[in-house]
Amino acid sequence: TLLKTLLGLLRPKAGRVRLGGADLDTLSLRERARQIAYVPQVHAGTFAFSVESVVLMGRTAHHSLFAAPSAQDRTVAAHAIERLGIGHLAQRPYTMISGGERQLALLARALAQEPQFIVLDEPTASLDFGNQGKVMREIRALAASGHGVLFTTHDPNHAMRAADRAFLLREGRR
């Protein structure tokens, strides 16, 4: 609920969500998408798009919905894929890779979106230890490069390793 409110998918029950000085609900969906990327905890694709196509979908924020990807879009997507070390999956169907590989593909899609802020819901939930470390390092690198990063986790070690600040919730309360 908290993440959906911060992303503008749910209206706040009280207060306001502001982004860059503007109320989030005054921004168009395209403006929000150019500013904020979201990586869900779990995503089971319905269509057998290639991993490369899924990552390219992050570029939609910069074009009309039905525009063909440009050479620049392909370059940005390829860089995101390589950054996360999933180049070997680029032509594989998204529906035929593991849950952990899907999570890395979704993170690559978020990077291809080139947002200022990235919101990740349990980004390491279905990853093995090696890929958990890769995602945690990427979170730190994104923050170090000036991105705003918000992630949820049930693992206090991940919060201590990758977060500058932590907000603890239990049964909906701080």
Side-chain angles (χ1 to χ4, degrees), residues 27-35 60-65:
L27 301 176
S28 71
L29 290 176
R30 182 171 304 281
E31 289 170 320
R32 285 186 214 171
R34 287 182 180 157
Q35 294 291 315
T60 304
H62 302 279
H63 305 290
S64 68
L65 186 59

Side-chain angles (χ1 to χ4, degrees), residues 124-135:
T124 61
S126 56
L127 300 180
D128 59 43
F129 288 120
N131 284 323
Q132 285 182 24
K134 183 184 293 185
V135 169

Side-chain angles (χ1 to χ4, degrees), residues 41-92:
Q41 179 178 357
V42 177
H43 179 263
T46 304
F47 301 103
F49 292 113
S50 69
V51 168
E52 177 185 42
S53 293
V54 169
V55 175
L56 276 167
M57 288 176 194
R59 301 298 299 161
T60 304
H62 302 279
H63 305 290
S64 68
L65 186 59
F66 298 106
S70 68
Q72 174 66 19
D73 294 330
R74 292 188 184 285
T75 298
V76 169
H79 183 268
I81 288 169
E82 289 307 316
R83 182 173 177 170
L84 291 171
I86 57 172
H88 63 288
L89 300 174
Q91 298 310 313
R92 299 241 342 249

